[in-house]
Amino acid sequence: MAKSTLSFVCQNCGAAYNRWQGKCDSCGEWNTLAEEDTTGATSMPVSVRSRRKGRTFALESLTGKSNDAPRLPSGMTELDRVTGGGFVRGSVLLVGGDPGIGKSTLLTQATSMLARAGHRAVYISGEEAVAQVRLRAERLGLADAPVQLAAETSVEDIVSTLSEGAVPRLIVIDSIQTMWTDTVESAPGTVTQVRASAQALIRFAKKTGAAIILVGHVTKDGQIAGPRVVEHMVDAVLSFEGEGSQHFRILRAMKNRFGPTDEIGVFEMTGLGLREVSNPSELFLSERDLGSPGTAVFAGIEGTRPVLVELQALVAPTTLGTPRRAVVGWDPSRLSMVLAVLEAHCGVKLSGYDVYLNVAGGLRIQEPAADLAAAAALVSSLVNAPLPTDAVYFGEISLSGAVRPVAQTSARLKEAAKLGFGRAVLPESARGEVGGDGGLALNSIGGLTSLVAEIAARGSPRGNRDTSREGAAEKNTTPARFRRENS
């Protein structure tokens, strides 16, 4: 019989230590080490393992016929877009998101649609009773869907039950942190249990061809709780994002072995569940404050889909020694770079102002094409000059102040024209890539200085100029530094 081995395992990253210590040297977190029994039931002495002979297996060449993985459409267009066209047989997906964001609602709708299409769908809940799942299905109007429900946490019992009869096409495990297996002597939710339970379910999926969706808890930082190795073991990692004050949700692929990782699915939370949004641009621009300084519309690309979103900026005088820089929905490092370029090459002095930047609607922008829209919104707020309400902006700003081209210019312009915009501000070198612009008036710029001068020429600064020097007659005129650059 194998000797029981105790070790201290970090509940955040999974690193193991021989003795307890306050801080984990691997991830840097404090008070995350817990004592666990790392000896499994399948352990055997070293002498027995050394006498075991390996089996031979066939080797194949690189050339040969490769069939595409068969997919099972879920019936939800936005979910299929993120997964790459549907669920692949034998694949395992990990879905994470904040509590109450709508993970269970999304998966309940997906399993119900598959069950109505004639496929066997099973929903295993480890956190809720069967009656609670039924109440949710009744609220969503899906009580008549032939979904098979169960409330169970033992992995061995789940695998034994699902092995009987026809193989399920889709299995939902809600959640992986509540599962436990007899092969590990640890409490459910620990690193060892999560890793062993996920491994057993993945082995069942690969053996039978059933698609399994694992629901994972998230930490306070937004990362999926448990060992990081689980994300490497599964085939796809999906993140369900959204703000509690907003009525829409975004499903984003962080990892996908069978499809792209830059696609997003947009849903709207209603009283009857999640509703798919086929045109996210109309949703993000539905509550625009027209004619307000500091707002610019950015024509972005999420995967293969063009998305128009509003960027809001506020530049206010600071009373602190170090001005504050706050950004929501964008990379703070890119905001710092844009501010440095504006001050170094365009004469825009922002060292005495607090800067706030927000992506309206809660969307997170990751591409650098939003540099031009952010710069336009910042200058508009500084000089109190509203931007044209029918204009969109996109382009990457270099450290020299030049505006660089971005990919898929034609798709951005077509989406802007479809939503009724009349003009577009884009990089000068991107005019050759423009196909059918839909009749938009194109304002191509080669450097950021010309755009700043154009915006400042329409501005009327409010309280951020030294009126004692310039006089009351020039109270609403353009600042001198912008007049020189414009001339």
Side-chain angles (χ1 to χ4, degrees):
M1 182 176 180
K3 182 179 179 181
S4 179
T5 303
L6 296 177
S7 62
F8 297 89
V9 182
C10 177
Q11 304 301 308
N12 184 55
C13 66
Y17 300 90
N18 295 328
R19 59 185 181 85
W20 184 89
Q21 56 189 36
K23 180 180 180 181
C24 176
D25 297 334
S26 179
C27 62
E29 295 293 332
W30 288 86
N31 299 325
T32 58
L33 269 64
E35 186 178 5
E36 296 185 11
D37 188 354
T38 58
T39 303
T42 58
S43 300
M44 60 182 68
V46 178
S47 59
V48 177
R49 293 199 303 266
S50 61
R51 292 196 301 266
R52 178 183 177 273
K53 295 183 178 180
R55 63 178 179 86
T56 60
F57 54 90
L59 300 176
E60 299 181 3
S61 61
L62 292 176
T63 59
K65 183 178 180 181
S66 299
N67 298 324
D68 294 335
R71 294 182 180 271
L72 176 64
S74 63
M76 305 180 70
T77 306
E78 296 298 311
L79 179 58
D80 292 339
R81 176 192 295 272
V82 178
T83 57
F87 301 117
V88 179
R89 294 179 58 90
S91 63
V92 180
L93 291 78
L94 180 62
V95 179
D98 295 333
I101 203 66
K103 301 185 297 296
S104 300
T105 301
L106 174 66
L107 298 179
T108 301
Q109 294 182 224
T111 52
S112 300
M113 291 184 179
L114 282 177
R116 287 177 175 177
H119 304 287
R120 185 187 178 190
V122 181
Y123 192 101
I124 306 294
S125 176
E127 300 177 349
E128 299 176 301
V130 174
Q132 293 178 280
V133 181
R134 287 174 177 171
L135 288 176
R136 183 189 304 113
E138 292 178 1
R139 177 175 56 85
L140 301 177
L142 304 173
D144 58 338
V147 178
Q148 298 178 338
L149 302 177
E152 185 59 51
T153 58
S154 175
V155 174
E156 284 76 15
D157 295 345
I158 293 174
V159 171
S160 178
T161 303
L162 297 179
S163 300
E164 298 179 354
V167 178
R169 296 301 302 272
L170 180 64
I171 303 171
V172 175
I173 305 296
D174 188 7
S175 63
I176 188 60
Q177 275 78 14
T178 60
M179 298 293 124
W180 63 276
T181 174
D182 294 334
T183 60
V184 177
E185 297 181 0
S186 299
T190 58
V191 170
T192 307
Q193 277 286 4
V194 171
R195 180 172 56 244
S197 301
Q199 185 177 9
L201 294 172
I202 292 174
R203 189 184 307 113
F204 174 78
K206 303 302 180 183
K207 180 180 179 181
T208 61
I212 298 182
I213 299 180
L214 306 177
V215 179
H217 296 168
V218 295
T219 62
K220 60 182 180 180
D221 299 330
Q223 303 293 330
I224 297 179
R228 193 77 175 186
V229 69
V230 175
E231 299 185 28
H232 296 280
M233 295 165 57
V234 299
D235 299 308
V237 180
L238 308 181
S239 176
F240 205 41
E241 306 170 356
E243 299 292 339
S245 58
Q246 302 291 341
H247 57 277
F248 70 90
R249 306 289 186 265
I250 297 176
L251 183 64
R252 190 186 304 273
M254 312 301 294
K255 169 190 174 182
N256 193 355
R257 291 174 178 169
F258 307 108
T261 58
D262 52 1
E263 292 285 358
I264 64 170
V266 183
F267 301 87
E268 182 182 5
M269 180 62 75
T270 64
L272 298 177
L274 294 168
R275 183 183 66 87
E276 300 180 65
V277 179
S278 58
N279 192 351
S281 301
E282 293 183 352
L283 178 65
F284 294 139
L285 299 177
S286 59
E287 300 179 358
R288 289 183 60 196
D289 188 7
L290 301 178
S292 177
T295 59
V297 178
F298 165 60
I301 294 289
E302 291 289 344
T304 58
R305 167 190 289 175
V307 177
L308 269 63
V309 64
E310 183 183 33
L311 267 65
Q312 303 172 349
L314 176 61
V315 179
T318 182
T319 58
L320 306 175
T322 302
R324 186 177 181 182
R325 305 288 188 253
V327 56
V328 178
W330 201 39
D331 187 6
S333 300
R334 297 209 67 87
L335 175 62
S336 301
M337 187 201 73
V338 171
L339 295 177
V341 173
L342 286 173
E343 186 159 354
H345 297 284
C346 303
V348 181
K349 304 301 181 181
L350 296 171
S351 58
Y353 297 89
D354 291 333
V355 175
Y356 304 89
L357 186 68
N358 176 48
V359 179
L363 181 67
R364 296 181 182 179
I365 299 177
Q366 299 178 351
E367 59 173 336
D371 293 348
L372 192 62
L378 291 171
V379 177
S380 172
S381 176
L382 176 65
V383 301
N384 194 27
L387 298 176
T389 58
D390 61 341
V392 295
Y393 301 81
F394 60 91
E396 180 183 357
I397 298 176
S398 64
L399 294 179
S400 61
V403 181
R404 300 170 56 88
V406 294
Q408 304 187 32
T409 301
S410 299
R412 303 173 194 263
L413 297 178
K414 289 180 181 179
E415 181 71 12
K418 184 173 64 175
L419 294 179
F421 287 87
R423 68 183 74 179
V425 181
L426 70 164
E428 185 176 7
S429 55
R431 292 186 64 95
E433 305 177 7
V434 176
D437 54 6
L440 271 71
L442 304 181
N443 181 14
S444 57
I445 58 176
L448 188 58
T449 305
S450 58
L451 177 64
V452 172
E454 180 183 350
I455 298 175
R458 302 188 303 265
S460 56
R462 47 190 178 190
N464 54 358
R465 298 178 57 199
D466 191 356
T467 55
S468 62
R469 295 183 179 181
E470 300 182 11
E474 297 182 7
K475 182 177 181 180
N476 293 326
T477 57
T478 305
R481 60 176 181 273
F482 295 130
R483 291 201 307 271
R484 290 195 299 269
E485 293 172 352
N486 192 21
S487 60

